[in-house]
Structure formats: structure tokens, C-alpha cells
Amino acid sequence: MSALKITGGYKLKGELSISGAKNAILPILAAALINSGISIIENSPHLADVEIMLDILISIGCKASLKNNTITIDSSEISSTELPGDLVQKMRASIVIMGALLGRFGEVKISYPGGCEIGLRPIDLHLKAFKQMGAEIHEIVHGYITCKANKLMGSEISLDYPSVGATENIMLAACFAEGVTTITNAAKEPEIEDLQEFLRKLGVRIKGAGSSTITIYGLNKRKGNISTQTNTFKKEICHKVIPDRIVAGTYLLAGAITGGTLTLTNVNPAHLSSVIYKLRDTTTEILIKNNSIKLKAPAHLKNIELVRTLPYPGFPTDMQPQLISMLSVAEGTSIIVETVFENRYRHVDQLIRMGAEILINDRTAVIKGVKRLSGADLTAHDLRGGAALVLAGLCADGETIINGIEYIDRGYESIENQLSSLGAVINRIN
Ligand code: UD1
């Protein structure tokens, strides 16, 4: 198993271009199943999760290739609506394939999805919506679910929580429904808007993504099943995925924690408003110019009184672990409340081993800033928690080893090369 070895204490400086967004490309790859033509997806990041998604699509009959940063998918001949359990178990985002297959073929069989263990992560909101649209759902042995519908009906769906995955799943299924589907209390994340863009290119009439109400005018396209494969959307479309706001946010915090000066290019600063707002509270200087963000960190970061993670446009839960690392070395005491996932403090015991002073009480973390962290032998337990450990290692005294980096590879394209290009001393070792 490989690990990351970091020698801390080097200020980051330079320029970095940000890759395409993992959380945008995964649902867009699922949406490519709706197209029985060719979908060309540009600005694809090279990530383990993208590879898993492609493997799943290939396993049910898609032809897919990845060249440089462009994925080409031909979903014209799907051979199965049963998703391979071992691959689905590896990645929660695979659940979004459900809506696409249910819509196009009226049936899907899937096992409960896996992914990072950052909470219970149920799929009740997804299933409730499909039922409301007329699907019959059966849970069968070994954690498999089958979902069938002769016809999906447009519905008024009011989500109990603005779940990102449930919003995307409903959007995909609704493309094929008879009549109009309205999702209220929909997730407003930029990745949902990107999915809407992709669907529009395919000819779907859809509006409202980015707001809390999304309307999809179903085309009642599905007349065939898996054997006839008739009457689906069929076009050659090309779509460029939006930049990854969480990767950008992570590198901004890496700059801040090391007292560095850096410029990120190919970013959408508007997607990072809540992160930039909090960074400015620490007296970090941020300069925004079109698609770039310049950061100049102070010698000593100031604390942040309170941060609550919230659905977009609130502070992202996916940036919470990295923020804790940064606040561990800020002056004074900071408080973070994690409201989205109930088990997202698994990196904290590792930070404490480095000398951080953090108290966790249920969903609240109280962080008393210390002057220095010390390098240690650590293990990542999830994707963003792993990134948080990298940040801590960058500013710690001495050497830090991070095991479990397969989690980090799920969401960061060769993180060691990116950080090395900014002057960090970090290597992948075996
Ligand atoms: C997506 C992101 C993930 C991010 C999360 C929240 C992708 C691929 N992943 O995950 O990086 O951390 O949004 O911004 O885009 N919930 C239920 N029932 C459901 C669905 C969700 O109770 O049926 C709960 C979850 O347990 C969690 C909360 O809702 O507490 C948010 O989950 P959700 O927005 O669905 O996150 P994901 O789509 O899994």
C-alpha cells in the first residue's frame, strides 16, 4: 500500500489550475445513460471515483473511453439494468444511475451503495420520490433493491432535506416521466446546475437548478424496455464540466495553513463564496479576478468564532475537515458545528496526535489553536478527512506519513504533484 510522506514547514507559492469537479462529473456520467447517442464530457478529472463510475457503465453495456481529460460514452446499447454490487459498494454516487435506468428502461436492480463512512447516508428520500412517481420498490436479500415502473408519472416532490443525490436522481428519472415533475426544497449546489446544463443539451426541458425549485417537463420518451431500447433521447452532445470547488477550497486552505501566497486558476470564485468569506475572517487576503483567486496568508491566522456546515450556498461539509486542520494552528478558539453528516470528525483523533487541541461534543468541535503541530504517522479514514491530514502535515514540524491514501485519490488528482508544484515537500512512497 502506498502512503504520502510530507516534510512540513514550506510555504506554498505559485499558480495552480483546478481540475473538473468530481461531484459534477459523476451524476453527468449517470446522465449519459439517458442518451442513446454519444456524450462527450470534457474537463474530466483523473480520479479513482471516475474510474469506478466508468467501470459500472461499461459493465452494463456502455462503450467508454478516457483520453487526456475527455470522456466519450456511447450508451446506445445497454445490456443490463442490474448494477454490479462490488462496484456500487465502492461509491455512493453510483446511486444516481438508478434514476437514469429507471427512467429509460423502467427497471433497475442495485445494491445499497457504499462510499466514505461519514454517516448513515440512507437513500430513503430517493426511494420515496421514485414511489411517488409510480415506481414499485422491493428490497430483496443481500441488500439489493429492485425498482420497476411501467410508466413514471410527473409529480410534485417536496424533499424533507435538500439532498444532492436525491435531487439528481429525481431529475434524471423525471426526464422520461409523463407530465411535469417539480422538486421543491431541491439541493442548490452548482453541480446540480451543471447537470441541468447537460440535460438541456440533450433536449430535456428543465429549469430552476440552482434555486430550491426545479421543474422538469417529462417527455414520456420511454416506450421500450431493455430488449427493444427504442425511443430514448439520442444526440451527440459535448459538455465541459465545471471546476471543482472543493479541490480549489482545499488548496486555498493549504496556502493559508502554510502562510503561503498562491493563485488558483480555472475556478469559479462565486462557487467558493462561503469559503472565501471565512478565510477573510482569518485575515487571509483574497483577491478575485474573473476565473482566478489569489491568496496571501498572514504570518498568524486569526480564529473563526463559529462555522456551521450547511447545504449550498452555506459552508460545505466537504470543507469542514480541512478547515479544522487550519484552525488548529490559528490564534484563539474556533467552533465548528457539522450539521450535514453525523460522523465527520474521524480525522480529529489524528490531528490530536499531531498536537492539536480539539474537543468534540456530538456535532460540535471546539478548536483551541496551538502554535505548532508535530509530524506523525497517520491514517486517513475518508476522502476529505484525508485531505485535512495532508494540510496538517504541510505545516507540521518534521515528517508526516499518511496511510489510507486511496481515500484521497478518490477526490484529488495526484495531490502530491499538485502540492509539489507549489513548493511543498511531499512524495508518494510504497
Ligand atoms: C453529495 C456529495 C458529497 C457531499 C454531500 C453534501 C456527490 C457525489 N457527493 O453527497 O460530497 O458531502 O452531497 O453536500 O455529489 N440523506 C438522507 N436520506 C436520503 C439522502 C440523504 O437522510 O435519502 C441525508 C444524508 O444522510 C446526509 C444529508 O442528507 O446527512 C446530505 O446528503 P446528500 O445531500 O444526499 O449527500 P450525497 O448526495 O450523498
Side-chain angles (χ1 to χ4, degrees):
M1 275 299 194
S2 38
L4 289 174
K5 183 171 135 189
I6 306 170
T7 306
Y10 293 88
K11 291 183 181 191
L12 298 192
K13 60 171 194 282
E15 191 174 302
L16 189 67
S17 171
I18 298 301
S19 53
K22 168 178 93 74
N23 288 354
I25 194 161
L26 295 177
I28 285 173
L29 287 173
L33 275 175
I34 284 179
N35 185 10
S36 52
I38 308 274
S39 306
I40 299 164
I41 303 156
E42 296 175 346
N43 201 26
S44 166
H46 289 269
L47 298 173
D49 272 14
V50 172
E51 279 170 26
I52 296 171
M53 196 65 157
L54 289 178
D55 285 346
I56 295 175
L57 296 180
I58 290 166
S59 78
I60 57 171
C62 292
K63 293 182 193 80
S65 69
L66 167 60
K67 247 193 218 143
N68 300 324
N69 292 89
T70 300
I71 294 177
T72 305
I73 300 190
D74 175 353
S75 314
S76 55
E77 284 175 30
I78 303 300
S79 50
S80 170
T81 52
E82 182 175 336
L83 301 179
D86 54 335
L87 293 175
V88 170
Q89 292 290 331
K90 285 188 185 167
M91 191 181 61
R92 180 176 166 88
S94 54
I95 191 72
V96 183
I97 295 178
M98 210 174 169
L101 287 181
L102 179 65
R104 179 166 164 190
F105 298 114
E107 61 179 34
V108 56
K109 183 177 170 193
I110 188 169
S111 69
Y112 273 104
C116 286
E117 286 175 23
I118 53 177
L120 279 175
R121 309 189 87 177
I123 54 166
D124 53 317
L125 301 175
H126 307 233
L127 300 183
K128 188 176 169 193
F130 291 151
K131 270 188 199 158
Q132 203 182 322
M133 296 173 84
E136 272 186 30
I137 292 164
H138 296 284
E139 293 186 37
I140 47 177
V141 281
H142 306 311
Y144 269 90
I145 311 163
T146 56
C147 200
K148 285 192 177 178
N150 284 332
K151 182 155 86 176
L152 287 173
M153 299 301 297
S155 304
E156 285 181 18
I157 295 163
S158 176
L159 289 175
D160 294 335
Y161 185 89
S163 155
V164 174
T167 301
E168 293 164 345
N169 233 338
I170 299 163
M171 285 163 76
L172 297 187
C175 295
F176 295 88
E178 185 177 310
V180 180
T181 298
T182 312
I183 312 170
T184 51
N185 198 26
K188 296 185 274 198
E189 271 67 3
E191 293 76 21
I192 307 256
E193 279 187 77
D194 208 25
L195 180 61
Q196 170 173 278
E197 275 311 299
F198 180 86
L199 291 174
R200 280 184 172 163
K201 285 177 185 164
L202 203 46
V204 178
R205 272 181 69 213
I206 174 170
K207 65 177 186 189
S211 79
S212 57
T213 304
I214 301 175
T215 309
I216 307 109
Y217 298 86
L219 288 184
N220 191 20
K221 279 265 188 186
R222 187 175 67 78
K223 298 282 192 299
N225 55 27
I226 186 77
S227 46
T228 57
Q229 312 228 3
T230 53
N231 282 320
T232 64
F233 296 90
K234 189 175 170 108
K235 265 193 173 178
E236 177 160 334
I237 53 169
C238 183
H239 182 77
K240 185 175 176 191
V241 171
I242 56 170
D244 198 312
R245 64 195 165 98
I246 304 300
V247 167
T250 303
Y251 289 128
L252 285 177
L253 265 58
I257 202 172
T258 60
T261 305
L262 53 85
T263 301
L264 301 184
T265 58
N266 186 32
V267 279
N268 185 334
H271 294 167
L272 282 148
S273 295
S274 60
V275 175
I276 290 170
Y277 192 71
K278 291 297 174 194
L279 268 171
R280 284 182 169 146
D281 281 355
T282 67
T283 70
T284 299
E285 284 175 40
I286 303 275
L287 197 75
I288 295 169
K289 231 192 215 173
N290 303 324
N291 292 335
S292 74
I293 302 175
K294 186 171 179 189
L295 170 142
K296 187 169 184 299
H300 302 288
L301 295 163
K302 215 174 106 13
N303 67 322
I304 303 177
E305 274 172 23
L306 177 66
V307 182
R308 293 170 73 83
T309 63
L310 288 168
Y312 190 85
F315 190 89
T317 173
D318 284 356
M319 285 299 302
Q320 173 265 103
Q322 304 89 311
L323 186 70
I324 292 197
S325 289
M326 191 187 79
L327 294 175
S328 296
V329 291
E331 287 171 356
T333 299
S334 308
I335 296 179
I336 295 185
V337 184
E338 171 57 62
T339 76
V340 182
F341 289 109
E342 67 279 12
N343 190 17
R344 210 158 195 185
Y345 287 133
R346 296 183 73 201
H347 56 292
V348 165
D349 61 343
Q350 306 284 298
L351 293 177
I352 291 172
R353 292 183 55 208
M354 301 176 84
E357 290 189 23
I358 305 166
L359 273 176
I360 302 291
N361 184 356
D362 192 21
R363 287 177 177 245
T364 303
V366 179
I367 305 134
K368 194 168 159 237
V370 295
K371 285 218 156 58
R372 306 288 308 163
L373 296 176
S374 313
D377 203 339
L378 308 171
T379 302
H381 296 295
D382 61 67
L383 164 56
R384 307 301 171 187
L389 300 183
V390 172
L391 264 52
L394 292 175
C395 78
D397 288 335
E399 201 173 276
T400 295
I401 304 286
I402 301 172
N403 300 290
I405 58 170
E406 61 278 10
Y407 286 110
I408 301 172
D409 290 336
R410 297 183 61 161
Y412 296 88
E413 208 173 84
S414 56
I415 195 166
E416 69 280 19
N417 293 340
Q418 307 273 23
L419 288 169
S420 298
S421 75
L422 295 170
V425 178
I426 174 169
N427 296 295
R428 192 172 286 248
I429 54 169
N430 287 311

